[in-house]
């Protein structure tokens, strides 16, 4: 497979039905469509339902800040959640993240 360029500014944000105010843009599906790389955008005050990462998660905060378990991660923060970890992220001010998921999440 060759190089792939994704023009993210021209892509439409798609909103999650069960997470009002949280939208995404899929940048790449990993081998066998098991994992995914995406951009995630939280409107101010939005949250995502509690979920688990069977094979972990990595994200980088591009804009704004994300709140998790009493900790706020601002622009430039890189966060790694190990396999099996669970959380319920939210954003007070709104944010945009670049996320890599080696496998699909499990909703709790």
């Amino acid at each position: 497979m060759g190089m792939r360029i994704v023009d993210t500014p021209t892509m439409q944000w798609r909103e999650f039905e069960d997470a009002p105010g949280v939208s995404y843009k899929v940048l790449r599906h990993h081998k066998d469509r098991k994992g995914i790389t995406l951009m995630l955008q939280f409107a101010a005050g939005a949250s995502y339902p509690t979920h688990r990462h069977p094979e972990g998660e990595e994200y980088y905060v591009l804009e704004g800040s994300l709140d998790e378990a009493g900790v706020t991660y601002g622009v430039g923060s890189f966060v790694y959640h190990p396999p099996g970890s669970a959380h319920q992220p939210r954003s007070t001010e709104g944010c945009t993240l670049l996320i890599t998921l080696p496998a699909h999440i499990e909703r709790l």
Side-chain angles (χ1 to χ4, degrees):
M1 180 181 279
M3 181 175 77
R4 179 173 179 208
I5 307 282
V6 178
D7 186 16
T8 59
T10 63
M11 296 174 70
Q12 297 293 315
W13 288 101
R14 296 167 52 188
E15 191 163 305
F16 290 101
E17 290 182 19
D18 62 344
V22 182
S23 303
Y24 65 97
K25 293 180 180 185
V26 175
L27 305 181
R28 181 175 81 88
H29 288 278
H30 301 187
K31 185 178 180 180
D32 299 325
R33 296 182 72 87
K34 182 178 176 185
I36 193 169
T37 300
L38 68 156
M39 291 176 65
L40 206 61
Q41 187 174 67
F42 285 70
S47 64
Y48 192 82
T50 303
H51 59 281
R52 176 179 293 117
H53 296 280
E55 292 188 30
E57 171 191 47
E58 298 179 349
Y59 68 80
Y60 183 80
V61 181
L62 299 169
E63 297 176 329
S65 63
L66 188 73
D67 309 309
E68 291 185 342
V71 179
T72 299
Y73 303 104
V75 172
S77 295
F78 173 80
V79 178
Y80 168 72
H81 289 287
S85 61
H87 63 138
Q88 182 182 16
R90 63 180 310 274
S91 183
T92 302
E93 70 171 295
C95 67
T96 303
L97 312 170
L98 175 63
I99 299 178
T100 299
L101 299 170
H104 295 289
I105 66 168
E106 297 171 349
R107 301 280 175 101
L108 300 177

